[in-house]
Amino acid sequence: MQINGTAYRTIWPGEDGASVEIIDQTLLPHVFEAAVLRTLDDAARAIVTMQVRGAPLIGATAAYGLWLALLADPSDEALDRAAEVLLATRPTAVNLRWAINDMLARLRPAAPDTRVAMAKARAGEICDEDVETCRSIGSHGLALIEKIAAGKQGGPVNILTHCNAGWLATVDWGTALAPIYMAFNKGIDVHVWVDETRPRNQGAALTAYELGAHGVPHRIIVDNAGGHLMQRGQVDMCIVGTDRTTASGDVANKIGTYLKALAAHDNDVPFYVALPGTTIDWTLHDGRDIPIEERGAEEVTRMAGRDGRGGVVHVDIAAPGSPAGNPAFDVTPARLVTGLITERGVCAASAEGLSGLYPEQGR
Ligand SMILES: CSC[C@H]1O[C@H](OP(=O)(O)O)[C@H](O)[C@@H]1O
């Protein structure tokens, strides 16, 4: 995406030919700073600590992580260990497994002395493919926004989104935000309700940062306000991302998504999920089988903010000593999803809908 005339991607190879650079998302929106990844462990740490986050970007980072590992040691043992380390970073986003398997399918049969160049090239292709995939998601989602805009008697199309599924969650464009950017760029009057998205506030910190930088009208709301806004007719549609969607359309996404889907269903608000095919888990049909990441209690009991010197500070916000639970995702059953916006088009959240768009995956 463009920020003040400068085009950015979220991950890129370092000029030294032996590193990868990322935008450190743990510092946004207060500090815009690149971090340099030089080793497998740097890449794994970036995923675990959420310097990079978002299913497609996690997959891209893992792909480059394998390259960094092979730079140090291109042997079979090193490749297998690297895959194991990266797969253990975060359990829910299926793009991680997809990217690792994609890379291993190419690297394992290759001669070790060809693997470094092959890994870097494929990681770059994965990034380029993600940009085009998200651009296509945007164009298919744009048609949905245009249809709602055509039916409105004046005023903006009010869209609610949860967490961050913008260009910061992918290599560029984003998934849930891509249709919004395209509608805004086309001059359609849109306004976005941005769920702050506790506990890490990806909405308030990242989605609001993205939309503000692009000039898209938006308002940050507390997570608990969405149902009220839907009841009062102030939400025309919801668009969210996903970290893993089953072959039958059950959707794992940031914690709180399910509650928004319930409110949308109760108020007849269309609830769309935007995703690339790489986020579909064709091995699962029942969302209850999706592993849900449990993150540290400190994410609930502490909050990041700007200190007085332009840096980032963390403050305790909970009663000292109180334990906290922190499931990072929940599962929205397909019955609550109006449609899935993919790079191949929009389909019902069902096995039939998905196999119609992805016949090669038919089971
Ligand atoms: C396009 S994937 C975005 C997806 O990832 C986020 O989770 P996290 O910030 O923990 O990586 C959230 O679930 C978004 O919808």
Side-chain angles (χ1 to χ4, degrees):
M1 288 304 284
Q2 295 277 340
I3 298 179
N4 302 325
T6 303
Y8 286 96
R9 280 188 170 189
T10 51
I11 186 168
W12 61 95
E15 289 182 3
D16 63 5
S19 63
V20 178
E21 295 188 35
I22 57 159
I23 298 170
D24 183 345
Q25 299 189 30
T26 62
L27 302 178
L28 288 175
H30 314 302
V31 177
F32 187 97
E33 193 173 281
V36 181
L37 312 180
R38 300 188 187 283
T39 66
L40 165 67
D41 289 343
D42 288 347
R45 188 181 311 109
I47 296 171
V48 170
T49 62
M50 296 175 65
Q51 285 181 297
V52 293
R53 25 82 35 215
L57 180 55
I58 289 172
T61 306
Y64 272 118
L66 283 178
W67 170 59
L68 292 174
L70 292 170
L71 273 172
D73 178 352
S75 68
D76 292 354
E77 296 73 19
L79 179 59
D80 290 344
R81 175 183 175 272
E84 192 177 330
V85 164
L86 290 163
L87 284 170
T89 53
R90 294 189 73 192
T92 306
V94 74
N95 296 63
L96 176 59
R97 187 181 74 196
W98 171 83
I100 295 284
N101 288 343
D102 178 281
M103 295 282 282
L104 290 178
R106 301 160 195 267
L107 294 169
R108 281 206 170 115
D113 62 358
T114 66
R115 285 173 173 167
V116 170
M118 184 183 289
K120 184 178 183 181
R122 182 56 190 153
E125 289 171 356
I126 286 173
C127 290
D128 293 343
E129 289 166 8
D130 183 64
V131 173
E132 291 314 308
T133 294
C134 291
R135 193 195 311 277
S136 185
I137 289 169
S139 62
H140 291 301
L142 168 61
L144 297 171
I145 297 174
E146 286 177 318
K147 188 174 177 185
I148 289 176
K152 287 207 69 153
Q153 308 300 323
V157 178
N158 289 300
I159 304 168
L160 184 145
T161 194
H162 190 71
C163 199
N164 173 255
W167 65 273
L168 286 169
T170 64
V171 178
D172 202 346
W173 279 107
T175 56
L177 296 191
I180 293 169
Y181 287 129
M182 290 203 176
F184 174 78
N185 292 348
K186 196 172 181 181
I188 295 171
D189 189 4
V190 293
H191 166 265
V192 185
W193 295 111
V194 177
D195 275 356
E196 63 176 346
T197 316
R198 288 280 289 138
R200 290 191 62 122
N201 297 326
Q202 287 95 320
L206 304 179
T207 296
Y209 170 81
E210 284 194 32
L211 296 176
H214 202 62
V216 181
H218 63 284
R219 271 174 279 180
I220 299 169
I221 53 175
V222 297
D223 292 327
N224 297 324
H228 161 71
L229 293 170
M230 292 186 220
Q231 274 182 335
R232 296 297 173 97
Q234 293 179 267
V235 180
D236 296 307
M237 69 187 306
C238 297
I239 310 180
V240 300
T242 174
D243 296 78
R244 186 184 307 219
T245 291
T246 71
S248 294
D250 289 346
V251 171
N253 197 51
K254 184 53 53 193
I255 193 77
T257 302
Y258 172 48
L259 294 178
K260 289 298 160 8
L262 284 171
H265 189 262
D266 192 51
N267 292 281
D268 297 321
V269 173
F271 187 88
Y272 286 97
V273 177
L275 73 162
T278 50
T279 303
I280 300 166
D281 184 344
W282 299 104
T283 69
L284 285 184
H285 281 274
D286 189 337
R288 289 170 296 185
D289 296 329
I290 297 174
I292 299 298
E293 179 183 12
E294 181 76 22
R295 292 187 65 88
E298 73 286 349
E299 292 186 351
V300 177
T301 62
R302 313 193 77 203
M303 193 175 277
R306 184 197 310 270
D307 67 14
R309 299 179 304 282
V312 177
V313 65
H314 289 83
V315 295
D316 292 325
I317 60 169
S322 288
N326 187 14
F329 300 96
D330 59 26
V331 175
T332 298
R335 61 182 170 80
L336 297 177
V337 178
T338 306
L340 300 173
I341 308 168
T342 79
E343 72 276 18
R344 298 188 184 184
V346 180
C347 71
S350 66
E352 296 72 26
L354 284 169
S355 56
L357 286 183
Y358 299 89
E360 74 277 13
Q361 297 289 350
R363 304 213 172 254

